[in-house]
Amino acid sequence: MKQFGLLVAGGLAAMILLKTIGPMIGLLVGLAILYFIFKQFLKTESTGMKIGLIIIGLLVLSATIHHIPALIGVGAAYVLYLVYKNWNKNKKTAVKNEMDPFVSFENQWNELKK
C-alpha cells in the first residue's frame, strides 16, 4: 500500500515538475541577469551608469517576479527525489539462516566473549 502512495505522490510531483519547467528556467535566467547587473553596479563609478543599471535591474526584477510560481516546481522536484529515495526502502531482504556449523560456532563464541 505504501508503494502505491509513493507512486501517486511521484506521479503528481512529476506532472507538476514538467508543467513548471519553463518558469523554472525563466526564474533561473532572471536571477542570473540580476546577479550580473548587481555585480556591474558595484563596479561602476559613473552616476549615470548606476541609474541606468538600476532601471534595467528593476525591469528584470519585475519580469523575474512573474516566475515565482516556479518555486512550486522546485518543491515538486524535492518530493520526486524523496519518492525515489524511499522507493526501495520498504523491501525487506530475507535473512538466510544457514545451518553451517562454523557460523553457529562463531555466534556462540561471540556470545561467550560478551
Side-chain angles (χ1 to χ4, degrees), residues 66-104:
H66 292 289
H67 295 292
I68 290 297
L71 295 178
I72 295 171
V74 174
Y78 181 69
V79 168
L80 199 58
Y81 167 73
L82 290 178
V83 167
Y84 174 75
K85 190 170 139 181
N86 291 325
W87 183 260
N88 290 326
K89 199 178 228 184
N90 297 334
K91 293 182 181 177
K92 296 180 182 176
T93 57
V95 178
K96 292 169 55 176
N97 289 331
E98 297 180 8
M99 291 305 204
D100 187 14
F102 295 110
V103 173
S104 65

Side-chain angles (χ1 to χ4, degrees), residues 22-61:
M24 287 171 60
I25 292 171
L27 181 66
L28 182 66
V29 168
L31 290 175
I33 292 171
L34 281 174
Y35 173 75
F36 289 120
I37 289 173
F38 180 71
K39 294 293 276 185
Q40 191 65 35
F41 178 79
L42 293 178
K43 290 180 189 176
T44 304
E45 295 181 12
S46 169
T47 307
M49 186 69 166
K50 284 190 177 202
I51 292 172
L53 285 173
I54 289 173
I55 292 171
I56 293 171
L58 288 174
L59 289 173
V60 172
L61 181 65

